[in-house]
Amino acid sequence: MSYREESYYKSKYSQKATKGINFLEYSIEELKALWHKTIQDGFHGICFSMYKDGQSPGDDISIKQVEERVKILKPHVGAIRSFSCIEGNEYVPVIAKKHGLKTLVGAWLSDDKEDNEKEIEGLIALAKAGNVDVAAVGNEVLYRNDLTLEELVGYINRVKKALEGLDIPVGYVDAYYEFSRHPILIESTDVVLANLYPYWEGCPIEYALGHMQAMFGSVVDAAQGKPIIITETGWPSQGGGLDAAIASDTAAMKYFIDTIRWTEENDIPIFYFSSFDESWKTGDEGDVGAYWGLWDKHENLKF
């Protein structure tokens, strides 16, 4: 089914009440088996992790490395989300398309206006070359306070104008509550791209599925009937915790299983975060930043 077909976005926004699994009723081996089955059965999409040990943003990543990782993900997902259009990130949608996957392609915007120009032009070029199914102009820019709302909307409108006639939905990715705070984000975009993280709100794993459903409901209320894609959600497998949200193997497995079940039952497009553990991500996020992958840093399934 194409991103361009209206039916792709039709979701039962009066959500079915998906009940999360009680992992206390499972042995660790039974939980691992269910987690593996969920991955093997396949799911909508995944966020692409670019960087191996010793690599980080700013490094140029080879097309060979990108293709090796896309091949690992290909049997399990229908779509891949990328975050940037420079430094090798531009290879992600090209290789994803080569392997028959759909793409949500992001231009990374920051307070570096020179890099922003490279990102915007890169996104436009990838779209015109047929490598973009959904275009994301920026990721959590407002959350980080990197640009003003006016500057951000200017970039969005610029991409929309450049892609006129190509029938590529253009959106902007941010935390779910930003769309309620700034209705112009809805008005300026074709699709609402929302990040939902019960973990980062300190929610205990036992209540995380319900909390995510409430987050999604908030986006539905703000979206004015426009299509919604969950662009990020996940749970770290180790590294500590935040209030009542604790990173652990069992919590990470439960959250993934519950999330995929709920989104599939409600026909909600989702890009799970993330594909591979990335060691560089321990700055702002602390130790947990390195442990969000379904695969470990050695590209093996984690559990």
Side-chain angles (χ1 to χ4, degrees), residues 8 32 46 59 89 107 164 190 278 303:
Y8 177 88
K32 286 180 180 178
I46 198 161
D59 295 338
N89 290 276
E164 280 180 357
D190 305 309
E278 293 184 283
F303 306 119

Side-chain angles (χ1 to χ4, degrees), residues 90-101:
E90 67 272 19
Y91 301 137
V92 179
V94 174
I95 297 300
K97 282 293 184 181
K98 174 184 174 181
H99 288 279
L101 299 171

Side-chain angles (χ1 to χ4, degrees), residues 24-272:
L24 298 178
E25 296 177 353
Y26 291 77
S27 70
I28 187 65
E29 293 307 316
E30 289 171 334
L31 188 61
K32 286 180 180 178
L34 184 55
W35 181 84
H36 272 273
K37 183 180 186 303
T38 305
I39 291 176
Q40 297 302 330
D41 286 349
F43 53 103
H44 177 267
I46 198 161
C47 296
F48 192 76
S49 306
M50 281 287 286
Y51 303 105
K52 296 185 178 184
D53 264 6
Q55 298 175 339
S56 61
D59 295 338
D60 286 314
I61 305 303
S62 71
I63 192 169
K64 179 177 181 289
Q65 179 171 315
V66 168
E67 185 154 27
E68 287 171 350
R69 291 198 154 190
V70 168
K71 285 180 177 179
I72 294 170
L73 304 176
K74 177 183 176 179
H76 310 289
V77 299
I80 284 179
R81 177 190 171 202
S82 60
F83 291 78
S84 169
C85 293
I86 62 175
E87 298 171 347
N89 290 276
E90 67 272 19
Y91 301 137
V92 179
V94 174
I95 297 300
K97 282 293 184 181
K98 174 184 174 181
H99 288 279
L101 299 171
K102 296 192 180 299
T103 61
L104 193 161
V105 182
W108 186 267
L109 300 181
S110 67
D111 56 3
D112 186 327
K113 301 298 176 60
E114 186 175 336
D115 274 356
N116 288 353
E117 287 302 308
K118 297 175 185 176
E119 291 278 1
I120 292 296
E121 290 303 318
L123 177 58
I124 292 169
L126 284 166
K128 289 184 174 180
N131 295 307
V132 179
D133 289 298
V134 177
V137 185
N139 179 72
E140 296 186 341
V141 175
L142 298 180
Y143 174 79
R144 297 191 307 273
N145 291 315
D146 280 351
L147 296 172
T148 67
L149 183 61
E150 183 179 18
E151 287 173 324
L152 173 61
V153 171
Y155 283 120
I156 294 169
N157 288 337
R158 178 174 158 190
V159 172
K160 285 185 70 176
K161 183 175 181 181
L163 303 189
E164 280 180 357
L166 295 182
D167 198 21
I168 298 172
V170 176
Y172 162 69
V173 179
D174 214 325
Y176 70 100
Y177 48 78
E178 295 290 358
F179 299 98
S180 300
R181 292 177 176 175
H182 307 292
I184 193 172
L185 294 176
I186 305 295
E187 297 161 10
S188 303
T189 55
D190 305 309
V191 56
V192 182
L193 308 176
N195 293 347
L196 315 178
Y197 279 110
Y199 177 86
W200 288 121
E201 295 194 354
C203 180
I205 187 60
E206 293 81 3
Y207 305 107
L209 177 60
H211 190 44
M212 178 168 56
Q213 291 169 342
M215 291 172 163
F216 185 77
S218 171
V219 180
V220 172
D221 290 342
Q224 302 175 25
K226 290 191 175 180
I228 302 166
I229 299 174
I230 298 174
T231 37
E232 289 179 40
T233 195
W235 199 279
S237 58
Q238 58 180 293
L242 177 66
D243 298 331
I246 305 300
S248 72
D249 290 351
T250 54
M253 285 188 280
K254 170 180 166 57
Y255 189 80
F256 174 71
I257 294 163
D258 286 351
T259 296
I260 299 305
R261 281 185 171 179
W262 168 63
T263 53
E264 287 184 347
E265 288 182 7
N266 288 278
D267 299 324
I268 301 169
I270 182 174
F271 288 84
Y272 199 81

